[in-house]
Structures are given as structure tokens and as C-alpha cells.
């Protein structure tokens, strides 16, 4: 035993361990002595004699022995016998965590840097999961028994299953009693809500009177709609406001109940306040106000009793014990009856009955038309963030391997004192879990801040109600991710260090260990970085290519748009027409105006319309979709937007109500319906086969209407004055700076009606930016994540090259002593780094190409874009050169003789 302790002291002095490390090793020795005590007890020695024999093996004058003796004396009696008890195992685990905390405390810079890197990965992952949780996993706030809620869709005329429903059809479902306790209808509108000294431009819901009852929502203040305010009854001028509006505009005062707000100019009495964070039924967009259908009939501007007017969404509460599948079967009977009674409204394009589709509340949290795209986008971001997390884990694992190499003497002493390989691995894993917990805590705090930023985000002046609280699901995810991360990046160093402990004791300070593992981790980082950089590069290239796409609108940089919201101000068609006439007059008088016009829906925006047409002399084939996108425009539209008229004439001021109807069609429209020519003078009806028919007076060149990447499609224009609309946009082409002209135009138009909200004025280029919003967001996030990954990978590459240079110092000294030039040694080091980069590129390119094929729907450039892949590979090579240059210089700056003497 004495010889053993001498060897321990010698090893401790050689390793220059500090007091904390000696204390850790002392505890290891104490455990070894406890095992010796157990061995004596199993041999029949009494407890007192066994304790004396164990302590007698230690020298009274030895400082380490005294420290060990203190540990032994403080152990509870009796010492554990045989296999450790459950309490003993817990004590061992806690001891490992105490040792790990002391080890991290001895290296504060390493601990801080590693924790910050982990915080970035876990924080970003937690934020993305919070968004997924808010959009897909968590039911709406305040809803009672959401598992009993179901959403009902009516199939569209042209075939898609997830269409809106007419109010009479919803009433038929409710009257049938099939599967539902109650059915509610709602539709979403943009409104201006105004009160005493304030105005809010946002969203509202026009709902059936039982809407809140069906959801099981309870008011925070006041009441919700009553039976007396039913949908079929007289107008009930009442409203329910959101909790956020109540707090921000009405000061959270109890006397807000009974106050008056104006919606589209109409006064409504506030009767209730929705619960906090309840944002309505449109996930992701917050409603500010709810009004019953009896008050909203005029606001909708349509006859809700018309079975052909399908603008309502439907939600119902299932009966106890009823399933979605059974409700779907029972509604088939209702659909068949409606088809038999109302064939003109219930027969689709394929001469079949329309159908109802029932989805659970969980499956209908996102609109079905965008659900696939949103899930795909969230999946893309989740994969990117997890890729960064993988890079973080491999980088921290590399750091821990380097640190374990620096602690090889300590690990060797522990092994010599009787610690098993499993014990050493457990100790290092405890250290890595503590480090991950520290980084995870910082990551959750970062996620708190980022989710607040998301909650304040706004799009086109409409609040995006991304309520992303860190609820139990998110915290459970962050906790699980933290421990999984700690185990992931701590496993390889723990196993490597436990395997290498004994050889390191024998081979001395220059022993290598884990180099192959670390090189493999670097290759993994290069692969992950390449995938992220390629993804970001493809989206950036898509944005660049989109800027040069032919939209069909010439000189769009000189176009300025002024959007009015007269529909939300309570304007009638007559008042709106008079207003727009004044707007045209004022815009025309403004210096710098080249041409000006009005358009109902600005191309490449978020609003579009389709309508069923009949083309005289054209026989539609069975199942052919005759719904065509169309737009209302004023004279001068084609010249102002730069869309050439291939043939015919533009609209004129004479094309107004009471005169023969006229239309202009696109070239694709003319080719489809008059393939042999004769489109000019042809006739089209927008009101059915009975007419009236409008004459085609012009053929316009094809352009982009909904998206920049859409295929050429038929399009129809009608004169605004023949089909007046309350919602129009003023379009002006200017000869000067469009930004400066926009400010002048805003001032000029504000004087027409000072009481209404001023128009939103921007340039057409700014408008086009909205069409590229998904690509822009993806490019920004993926590029940022890619650069972060590249930086982390560069640090990891520098670390492995620097470590390799240190381990090969003797080899380099011999090479230089034998006449090798410094540049040859530097080239050797740099070549080693480029081999790692090259291997990662060879593996990463096919991986990136395969993943790019999954997101090709978001891209404008091909997913296999050679320019992007070559640029990323060169960037990684440059990163390798920079990361290896400093270690290469260090390898040739040393004195060969001094290095060899130290060896």
C-alpha cells in the first residue's frame, strides 16, 4: 500500500494537479479503501478491526493520506457491504456531479464558451419547437374539451375537399342533429375598429350567436351573445372585444362594458371581453372583435341566406362518444339530401354531389390549403436548427476530447486508484450533463426573449398572434433536449478517456488518444455546415434570380401604389366611386405623374378572385374548370403597369354602368378559347349562359398574377366603372424617384377625406417583396444558421489542427532537423486540414442535393444549382486554410533542438 501511495504522490506532482483535483482523487481513494473494508468484512473481520486495518495502511505524515483519512472518517456507519445499495448508487451519482461541478469551475473560460455555444443550439431549437407547438400541438387558449371539437368543410365546385360552406348548409347540418351537439359558423374579415381617440386596423370575426358556447369559451368580463341576438333575428348592434384590445385601448377598465366602438363606421355596444390570449379560430392571426351575424350581415356585403354564397367556416362540438369518423359517415346522408334538394348548388364540375369533410380540431388548426406548405417550412427550419445542434454537439465533444487529453494524468491516477472504466466514463458524462444543463438554462432564457420578439411581430399592419408561451410541452422538450445533448456530446469523450486512461499512464504526456474520433467529428461538422450553407445559398440565389424574372410589368421600379380601406370605413359603392374619382384627379395633377389608374387587386399580392365564365361558341369538356382569375381595372391600367396590348383597345371612360359590357383578355385566354383566332369581338358572360355577354375589345400580353413562378394562365380584365368595387388601389407611374413621389402622393390624397385612415402608400418593388416573403425569410434564417455553423466548425477545425500539431511536434522537429523546409512542414499541416474538408464535402454534396430536392417547391432556382455547390465548397476550403494557417506557422516556429530535448 505504501508503494502505491508513493506512486500516487509522484503522479500527482508530475501532473501538477490543484487542490480540487487532489480532493477528487482522494475521494476516489476513499472509495477504494471502502471496498477494501468490505473485502475484510466479507472475510470475517469485525467492523472495528477492519477499520483499524484499513487506516493502518496509511502513513500519518502523508498529506494526501490525511486528506483521505478525513474523507473516510466522515463516511456514515456502517460502510456499504457487498453490492452497493440504491442509496449508495444515488450517493455515487451525486458525487460524480459534485466532481463535475468542481472540474468545470476550474476552467471558467472553457465552461463559459461551451455553455454559450450550447445555449445558441438549444435556444434556437426551443424557439422553433415553440412555434410548432403553437401552430400544431396546442389547442386554442380557453377552449373547453378541444378533443370534442370538429371542423366541417364543403367541397368546392372544382373539386378540392376543404372549401367554405354556405350559411343555409350549416343550418341544415345543425338541424339534422347528426353527430353534433351544436354547430357554429364564422368568417374572418379585415376591420377598422375605432373608439374615442383611437383606431385599430386588424381582423375580426363575424360569428353565429352560439360561437363561444360551441367552443366552450368563457368571457373575462361581461357576457357573450345571447339567443335574443340570434342570426335570423333583428340587427343586434353588439360586439365582443379581445382582451388585448380591452387592455391597450380601453385601459382594462370594468366600465368598458356598455361603451361604444365603431366598426366600418357603424356604432356597436361592447357587451363582453374575450379571455386573455384567446385570438379566435384563425391560428396565427389574432382577432380584435367579434360581432354576431345579425349585426354583420351588412358588413359582409353579401346575402348570407343565399345557398350559393360560400364564405363561412364551420366548427361543431361532437356529442359524447361520437368520433370524427362516425360524424363523417352521418354527414354523407345530409350531403346526399342537399344534393337531391338543391342540385344547382350541390353538383360539382364532375357532375357529382359535393361532400362534407370532417376533421378533428387538432387536424384543422391550420387552414388545409396552406397546411402542407407551413408544415414543410417548419420542417425545413427544424431540420436546419437540429443540424446546428449537431454541429454544436460535435464541437463540444471535440473540446471535451482535447480537455480529456490534458487531464490524462488525472484519469490515469483515478484508474490506478481502483476506479473502473465505467466509473471514469460516468464521471465525465456527469460533467457533460452539467455543462449541457448550464447551456440549456441559458438557451431557455434566450428562447423566452425570442418568443417575445415573435409575439410582437406584425405583417402588413395586422398583428400576428403567434402566442408561443414556453408551456409544459416546450419546457419538457427543452429539458429532454438538454440531457440528450449532454449525453450525445459527452459519450464519445467519456468512452475515449476511459479506454485511454491506462495507456496514458504508461506512455506519458505525449500519448495520443481520440485523434481519429476527433477527425471524424470534424468531418461531421463539415457535412452539416455544407448542407446548411447550400440550403441558404439556394434561397439567396432564388431571391437574386427572382429580381430578374420577367413579371410582365415593364419599368416596375417607377410604379407607386396607394391602398385605400373604404370597405372598412363603411363606404357605399356610390360614395366610394366619388372618392376614387377625386383620387384620380388629384394624382393626375401631381408633378411627376406620367400615368395613373385604379386596380381592384394588385397583381402578385395576397388577394385574387376567380369566377365562372361562359364563352360564347365554346363547348367545355366534361370536368373542365371554367373558373378564371379576373380583375377590375380603370382606363390606363395597361399603360401604367407596362402590360402591352397585343391587339384591340384599352378601356375608356365611356365603358361604365348602363353601357354595353366589355372585357379585355390575356393572350393565354385567347389561345385557350379561340385557338384558331377570332378572340377580338368574341363574347364572354360572367353571369351564366343567360348573359349578359361582354364583348372582348382587347388582348393583353401575359403577365404574372399570383406568384412569380406560376405557369402562364388565362386572365380576364373588366372595367371598374361597370362593376364598381369599394376596395381599390390607386396606381401611379412617375418619372422621378418613386420613394419621394410616394411621400408627396400620401400628402395629396390625405386631404380628400381627413376623417378616414390615410392610404398605405408604397412602391411596386416593395409590394413585390411580399410575394417573395417565404423565400426571403428562409434565406435569412438558413444563411444565418449556415454562417453560425461554419463559424463553429471553423473553431473545431482549428482546435483539431492545433492539437495535431502539438502531438506531432517531435515529428516536425525531426523533419526540420533533417533539412525539411518550413514551407514543406506548413504545407503538410494545411494539406491535413484540406483532407478533412474534402472528405466532408464529398459526403455532404449528395446529402445536400437529396435534401434540396425535398424543398424544391420553395425554390426558384433548380435544387441542383452548380454555382451554389461550388461556391459553398470553395468557402469551406477557404475556411480550412484560415483555420490551419496559425497552427502551421506554429509548427515551423519552434526550435527543433529544444523540442527534441523536451521529448
Amino acid at each position: 500500500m505504501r508503494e502505491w501511495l508513493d506512486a500516487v504522490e509522484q503522479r500527482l506532482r508530475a501532473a501538477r494537479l490543484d487542490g480540487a483535483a487532489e480532493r477528487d482523487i482522494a475521494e476516489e481513494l476513499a472509495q477504494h479503501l471502502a471496498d477494501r473494508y468490505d473485502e475484510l468484512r466479507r472475510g470475517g473481520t469485525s467492523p472495528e478491526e477492519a477499520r483499524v486495518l484499513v487506516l493502518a495502511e496509511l502513513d500519518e505524515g502523508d498529506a494526501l493520506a490525511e486528506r483521505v483519512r478525513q474523507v473516510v472518517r466522515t463516511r456514515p456507519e456502517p460502510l456499504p457491504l457487498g453490492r452497493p445499495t440504491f442509496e449508495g448508487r444515488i450517493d455515487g451519482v451525486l458525487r460524480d456531479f459534485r466532481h463535475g461541478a468542481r472540474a468545470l469551475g476550474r476552467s471558467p473560460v472553457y465552461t463559459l464558451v461551451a455553455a454559450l455555444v450550447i445555449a445558441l443550439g438549444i435556444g434556437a431549437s426551443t424557439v422553433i419547437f415553440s412555434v410548432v407547438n403553437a401552430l400544431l400541438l396546442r389547442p386554442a387558449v380557453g377552449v373547453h374539451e378541444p378533443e370534442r371539437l370538429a371542423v366541417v368543410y364543403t367541397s368546392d365546385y372544382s373539386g378540392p375537399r376543404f372549401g367554405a360552406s354556405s350559411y343555409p348548409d350549416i343550418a341544415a347540418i345543425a338541424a339534422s342533429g347528426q353527430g353534433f351537439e351544436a354547430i357554429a359558423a364564422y368568417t374572418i374579415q379585415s376591420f377598422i375598429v375605432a373608439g374615442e381617440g383611437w383606431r385599430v386596423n386588424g381582423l375580426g370575426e363575424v360569428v353565429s350567436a352560439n360561437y363561444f358556447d360551441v367552443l366552450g369559451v368563457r368571457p373575462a368580463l361581461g357576457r357573450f351573445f345571447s339567443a335574443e341576438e340570434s342570426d335570423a333575428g333583428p340587427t343586434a348592434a353588439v360586439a365582443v372585444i379581445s382582451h388585448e384590445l380591452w387592455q391597450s385601448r380601453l385601459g382594462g377598465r370594468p366600465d368598458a362594458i356598455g361603451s361604444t366602438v365603431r366598426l366600418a363606421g357603424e356604432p356597436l355596444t361592447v357587451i363582453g371581453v374575450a379571455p386573455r390570449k384567446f385570438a379566435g379560430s384563425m391560428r396565427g392571426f389574432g382577432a380584435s372583435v367579434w360581432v354576431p351575424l345579425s349585426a354583420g350581415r351588412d358588413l359582409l356585403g353579401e346575402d348570407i341566406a343565399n345557398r350559393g354564397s360560400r364564405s363561412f367556416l364551420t366548427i361543431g362540438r361532437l356529442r359524447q362518444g361520437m368520433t370524427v369518423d362516425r360524424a363523417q359517415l352521418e354527414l354523407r346522408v345530409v350531403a346526399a339530401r342537399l344534393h337531391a334538394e338543391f342540385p344547382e348548388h350541390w353538383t360539382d364540375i364532375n357532375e357529382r354531389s359535393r361532400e362534407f369533410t370532417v376533421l378533428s380540431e387538432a387536424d384543422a388548426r391550420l387552414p388545409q390549403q396552406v397546411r402542407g406548405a407551413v408544415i414543410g417550412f417548419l420542417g425545413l427550419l427544424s431540420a436546419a436548427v437540429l443540424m446546428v445542434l449537431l454541429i454544436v454537439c460535435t464541437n463540444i465533444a471535440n473540446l471535451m476530447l482535447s480537455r480529456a487529453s490534458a487531464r490524462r494524468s488525472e484519469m490515469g491516477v483515478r484508474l490506478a486508484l481502483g476506479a473502473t472504466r465505467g466509473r471514469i466514463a460516468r464521471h465525465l458524462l456527469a460533467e457533460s450533463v452539467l455543462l449541457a444543463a448550464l447551456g440549456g438554462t441559458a438557451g431557455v432564457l434566450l428562447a423566452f426573449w425570442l418568443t417575445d420578439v415573435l409575439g410582437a411581430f406584425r405583417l402588413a399592419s395586422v398583428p400576428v398572434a403567434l402566442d408561443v408561451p414556453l408551456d409544459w410541452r416546450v419546457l419538457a422538450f427543452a429539458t429532454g433536449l438538454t440531457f440528450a445533448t449532454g449525453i450525445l456530446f459527452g459519450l464519445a469523450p467519456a468512452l475515449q478517456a476511459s479506454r485511454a486512461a491506462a495507456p496514458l499512464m504508461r506512455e506519458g504526456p505525449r500519448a495520443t488518444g481520440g485523434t481519429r474520433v476527433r477527425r471524424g467529428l470534424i468531418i461531421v461538422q463539415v457535412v452539416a455546415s455544407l448542407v446548411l450553407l447550400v440550403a441558404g445559398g439556394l434561397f439567396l440565389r432564388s431571391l437574386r434570380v427572382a429580381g430578374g424574372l420577367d413579371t410582365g410589368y415593364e419599368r416596375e421600379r417607377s410604379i407607386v401604389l396607394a391602398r385605400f380601406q373604404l370597405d372598412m370605413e363603411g363606404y357605399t359603392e356610390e360614395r366610394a366611386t366619388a372618392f376614387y374619382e377625386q383620387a384620380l384627379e388629384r394624382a393626375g395633377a401631381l408633378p411627376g405623374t406620367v400615368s395613373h389608374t385604379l386596380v381592384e387587386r394588385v397583381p402578385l399580392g395576397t388577394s385574387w378572385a376567380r369566377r365562372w365564365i361562359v364563352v360564347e361558341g365554346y363547348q367545355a369538356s366534361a370536368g373542365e374548370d371554367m373558373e378564371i382569375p379576373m380583375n377590375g381595372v380603370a382606363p390606363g391600367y395597361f399603360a401604367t403597369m407596362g402590360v402591352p396590348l397585343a391587339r384591340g383597345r384599352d378601356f375608356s371612360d365611356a365603358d361604365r354602368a348602363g353601357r354595353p359590357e366589355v372585357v379585355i383578355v390575356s393572350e393565354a385566354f385567347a389561345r385557350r378559347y379561340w385557338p384558331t383566332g377570332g378572340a377580338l369581338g368574341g363574347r364572354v358572360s360572367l353571369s351564366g349562359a343567360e348573359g349578359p355577354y361582354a364583348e372582348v375589345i382587347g388582348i393583353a400580353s401575359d403577365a404574372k398574377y399570383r406568384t412569380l413562378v406560376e405557369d402562364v394562365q388565362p386572365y380576364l380584365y373588366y372595367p371598374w366603372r361597370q362593376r364598381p368595387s369599394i376596395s381599390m388601389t390607386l396606381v401611379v407611374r412617375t418619372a422621378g424617384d418613386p420613394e419621394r413621389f410616394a411621400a408627396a402622393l400620401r400628402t395629396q390624397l390625405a386631404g380628400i377625406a381627413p376623417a378616414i385612415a390615410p392610404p398605405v402608400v408604397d412602391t411596386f418593388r416593395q409590394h413585390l417583396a411580399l410575394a417573395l416573403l417565404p423565400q426571403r425569410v428562409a434565406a435569412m434564417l438558413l444563411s444565418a444558421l449556415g454562417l453560425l455553423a461554419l463559424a463553429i466548425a471553423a473553431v473545431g477545425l482549428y482546435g483539431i489542427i492545433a492539437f495535431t500539431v502539438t502531438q506531432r511536434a517531435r515529428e516536425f522537429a525531426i523533419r526540420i532537423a533533417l533539412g525539411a523546409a518550413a514551407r514543406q512542414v506548413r504545407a503538410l499541416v494545411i494539406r491535413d486540414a484540406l483532407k478533412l474538408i474534402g472528405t466532408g464535402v464529398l459526403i455532404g454534396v449528395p446529402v445536400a442535393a437529396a435534401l434540396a430536392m425535398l424543398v424544391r417547391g420553395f425554390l426558384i432556382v433548380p435544387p441542383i444549382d452548380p454555382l451554389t455547390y461550388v461556391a459553398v465548397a470553395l468557402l469551406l476550403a477557404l475556411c480550412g486554410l484560415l483555420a490551419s494557417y496559425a497552427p502551421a506557422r506554429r509548427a515551423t516556429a519552434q526550435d527543433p533542438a529544444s523540442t527534441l530535448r523536451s521529448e
Side-chain angles (χ1 to χ4, degrees):
M1 188 68 170
R2 180 67 242 179
E3 292 79 13
W4 184 29
L5 287 175
D6 288 339
V8 170
E9 283 186 4
Q10 182 180 359
R11 211 67 177 125
L12 289 173
R13 285 194 297 272
R16 296 182 180 178
L17 298 179
D18 59 16
E22 290 184 12
R23 184 170 64 251
D24 293 347
I25 295 175
E27 291 191 15
E28 294 285 354
L29 181 54
Q31 181 62 46
H32 177 75
L33 295 176
D35 295 339
R36 172 66 174 149
Y37 174 89
D38 290 342
E39 182 182 348
L40 291 172
R41 289 286 290 118
R42 287 193 296 270
T45 307
S46 66
E48 295 78 7
E49 186 178 359
R51 188 172 184 83
V52 170
L53 289 173
V54 169
L55 294 178
E57 297 182 14
L58 301 175
D59 179 29
E60 289 290 339
D62 187 279
L64 178 62
E66 178 59 28
R67 186 169 293 186
V68 172
R69 188 178 294 105
Q70 291 174 3
V71 175
V72 174
R73 285 171 180 163
T74 58
R75 292 181 62 87
E77 293 287 357
L79 289 168
L81 300 177
R83 300 187 64 180
T85 62
F86 176 76
E87 292 79 5
R89 290 192 180 96
I90 296 298
D91 182 66
V93 171
L94 293 177
R95 186 167 56 252
D96 286 331
F97 279 108
R98 286 197 302 272
H99 291 175
R102 285 198 292 267
L104 292 176
R106 292 195 296 270
S107 305
V109 175
Y110 159 79
T111 302
L112 180 61
V113 172
L116 287 177
V117 171
I118 295 169
L120 289 173
I122 290 180
S125 301
T126 302
V127 169
I128 294 300
F129 180 78
S130 299
V131 176
V132 173
N133 177 52
L135 293 178
L136 298 175
L137 303 181
R138 187 169 58 86
V141 175
V143 171
H144 178 63
E145 293 183 324
E147 66 278 2
R148 289 180 56 201
L149 292 178
V151 176
V152 182
Y153 300 92
T154 304
S155 60
D156 289 339
Y157 177 80
S158 54
R161 296 168 54 201
F162 303 106
S165 305
S166 68
Y167 188 71
D169 290 343
I170 297 173
I173 297 174
S176 70
Q178 298 294 323
F180 292 92
E181 282 185 359
I183 286 284
Y186 67 97
T187 188
I188 301 167
Q189 296 286 320
S190 295
F191 289 127
I192 292 179
V193 187
E196 189 65 34
W198 57 269
R199 299 167 65 92
V200 173
N201 184 357
L203 296 177
E205 291 184 339
V206 179
V207 303
S208 57
N210 65 342
Y211 173 78
F212 292 104
D213 291 334
V214 169
L215 294 179
V217 176
R218 297 293 176 259
L221 187 69
R223 66 175 178 86
F224 289 146
F225 307 124
S226 65
E228 288 73 22
E229 294 151 350
S230 64
D231 313 327
T235 297
V238 294
V240 172
I241 61 175
S242 69
H243 193 280
E244 191 275 336
L245 184 67
W246 177 52
Q247 290 289 330
S248 63
R249 301 299 181 179
L250 299 175
R253 302 189 310 272
D255 61 1
I257 301 300
S259 62
T260 299
V261 296
R262 301 186 73 84
L263 197 69
E266 297 297 324
L268 302 174
T269 301
V270 176
I271 62 169
V273 176
R276 183 172 179 268
K277 293 189 176 182
F278 177 74
S281 298
M282 174 63 83
R283 188 62 60 96
F285 291 90
S288 300
V289 63
W290 291 263
V291 297
L293 281 175
S294 58
R297 286 188 291 252
D298 294 336
L299 297 174
L300 294 176
E302 59 184 75
D303 181 10
I304 65 172
N306 181 3
R307 195 174 295 273
S309 177
R310 302 179 182 275
S311 57
F312 287 97
L313 302 172
T314 312
I315 190 165
R317 181 166 292 275
L318 295 169
R319 297 185 182 279
Q320 288 286 357
M322 176 64 64
T323 65
V324 169
D325 291 338
R326 284 180 56 193
Q328 174 75 67
L329 291 174
E330 294 185 2
L331 285 187
R332 287 182 180 175
V333 178
V334 179
R337 178 170 57 80
L338 290 173
H339 180 240
E341 293 180 7
F342 310 101
E344 69 278 14
H345 297 299
W346 266 81
T347 303
D348 67 13
I349 192 172
N350 296 309
E351 300 298 324
R352 293 195 297 262
S353 170
R354 294 179 187 253
E355 60 182 17
F356 291 120
T357 298
V358 185
L359 293 181
S360 67
E361 183 271 341
D363 291 333
R365 287 171 184 166
L366 286 177
Q368 299 303 303
Q369 294 84 348
V370 300
R371 178 182 173 85
V374 172
I375 291 177
F377 188 68
L378 291 176
L380 174 64
L381 292 184
S382 300
V385 169
L386 291 178
M387 199 79 72
V388 171
L389 193 62
L390 173 64
I391 296 172
V392 168
C393 289
T394 54
N395 196 274
I396 300 298
N398 254 334
L399 287 176
M400 292 193 70
L401 278 171
S402 298
R403 194 162 181 268
S405 296
R407 298 169 62 189
R408 56 187 175 274
S409 297
E410 177 189 339
M411 295 298 109
V413 170
R414 292 180 185 276
L415 191 65
L417 292 177
T420 64
R421 287 175 53 187
R423 181 76 175 264
I424 292 176
R426 192 180 72 186
H427 168 75
L428 292 177
L429 274 177
E431 186 176 318
S432 67
V433 169
L434 278 174
L435 186 60
L438 183 62
T441 302
V444 170
L445 294 177
L446 176 64
F448 265 112
W449 176 74
L450 290 175
T451 51
D452 286 343
V453 172
L454 285 176
F457 178 72
R458 273 167 165 70
L459 176 64
S461 303
V462 176
V464 179
L466 278 178
D467 181 23
V468 285
L470 301 187
D471 60 13
W472 67 268
R473 296 180 187 84
V474 178
L475 293 178
F477 170 83
T479 302
L481 186 63
T482 296
F483 284 102
T485 300
I487 293 172
L488 180 61
F489 69 68
L491 191 59
L495 294 177
Q496 187 66 39
S498 64
R499 277 199 303 268
L504 285 169
M505 285 289 292
R506 295 192 300 268
E507 297 170 13
R510 290 297 179 190
T512 59
T515 302
R516 186 175 300 173
V517 174
R518 291 199 281 179
R519 293 171 69 88
L521 292 175
I522 287 295
I523 292 173
V524 170
Q525 292 184 56
V526 172
V527 170
S529 300
L530 183 139
V531 170
L532 285 175
L533 288 170
V534 164
L538 289 173
F539 279 99
L540 285 173
R541 284 269 295 146
S542 293
L543 285 176
R544 185 175 180 81
V545 170
L549 286 177
D550 180 15
T551 63
Y553 307 103
E554 295 179 4
R555 303 178 302 281
E556 62 266 19
R557 294 182 184 274
S558 61
I559 297 176
V560 177
L561 307 172
R563 296 178 176 86
F564 300 95
Q565 299 169 320
L566 301 186
D567 54 332
M568 292 190 276
E569 301 283 359
Y571 270 55
T572 62
E573 283 187 2
E574 291 75 17
R575 287 185 65 198
T577 300
F579 178 93
Y580 290 129
E581 295 288 3
Q582 291 186 59
L584 285 170
E585 182 179 348
R586 292 202 176 199
L590 196 64
T593 298
V594 176
S595 61
H596 57 291
T597 186
L598 293 168
V599 61
E600 189 170 356
R601 297 172 184 87
V602 181
L604 300 172
T606 58
S607 175
W608 54 84
R610 288 166 56 88
R611 191 163 182 171
W612 187 261
I613 65 168
V614 176
V615 179
E616 189 176 50
Y618 180 83
Q619 182 62 45
S621 58
E624 183 178 357
D625 187 359
M626 294 295 289
E627 283 192 344
I628 298 299
M630 57 186 61
N631 205 351
V633 301
Y637 172 81
F638 300 97
T640 303
M641 292 295 293
V643 179
L645 280 174
R647 281 173 287 171
R649 68 170 178 89
D650 192 0
F651 298 127
S652 69
D653 291 338
D655 299 319
R656 57 180 62 244
R659 301 295 299 274
E661 293 190 10
V662 293
V663 295
I664 294 174
V665 300
S666 68
E667 291 179 309
F669 189 105
R671 288 193 299 270
R672 174 174 172 179
Y673 297 110
W674 291 278
T676 59
L680 280 180
R683 299 207 307 163
V684 178
S685 171
L686 309 184
S687 306
E690 292 78 17
Y693 280 83
E695 180 184 354
V696 177
I697 61 170
I699 300 175
S701 297
D702 293 320
K704 305 290 185 180
Y705 307 110
R706 290 182 57 177
T707 69
L708 288 169
V709 295
E710 68 186 9
D711 295 329
V712 174
Q713 59 178 309
Y715 204 78
L716 182 145
Y717 305 88
Y718 54 84
W720 159 66
R721 288 187 175 91
Q722 288 189 339
R723 296 176 181 271
S725 172
I726 300 176
S727 298
M728 299 294 288
T729 296
L730 179 66
V731 184
V732 183
R733 180 181 295 281
T734 176
D737 178 17
E739 298 285 349
R740 185 174 301 175
F741 183 85
L745 180 63
R746 187 181 297 109
T747 303
Q748 183 81 339
L749 297 175
I752 300 177
I756 69 171
V760 178
V761 181
D762 55 16
T763 67
F764 192 66
R765 298 297 291 178
Q766 292 170 329
H767 168 77
L768 288 179
L770 185 62
L772 291 170
L773 184 63
Q775 288 84 357
R776 195 176 301 278
V777 171
M780 179 182 65
L781 293 177
L782 291 174
S783 298
L785 292 173
L787 292 176
L788 174 63
L790 182 63
I792 296 173
V795 172
L797 181 62
Y798 172 83
I800 186 65
I801 297 299
F803 176 79
T804 302
V805 167
T806 302
Q807 299 300 314
R808 298 174 65 186
R810 179 182 178 87
E811 174 196 340
F812 294 151
I814 293 174
R815 287 178 180 272
I816 294 174
L818 293 177
R823 58 181 177 79
Q824 292 176 313
V825 175
R826 287 196 294 267
L828 188 65
V829 175
I830 293 174
R831 187 163 58 247
D832 193 43
L834 293 181
K835 282 182 181 178
L836 293 175
I837 295 290
T839 303
V841 169
L842 288 176
I843 297 173
V845 165
V847 174
L851 294 177
M853 295 298 294
L854 299 178
V855 297
R856 60 184 179 274
F858 294 98
L859 300 173
I860 295 176
V861 298
I864 312 298
D865 181 46
L867 182 60
T868 300
Y869 287 82
V870 171
V872 169
L874 291 176
L875 179 61
L876 287 170
L878 178 61
C879 176
L881 287 173
L882 295 176
S884 59
Y885 181 72
R889 284 184 58 86
R890 191 180 305 119
T892 57
Q894 59 190 347
D895 178 46
S898 300
T899 302
L900 292 174
R901 278 197 301 270
S902 66
E903 291 290 335

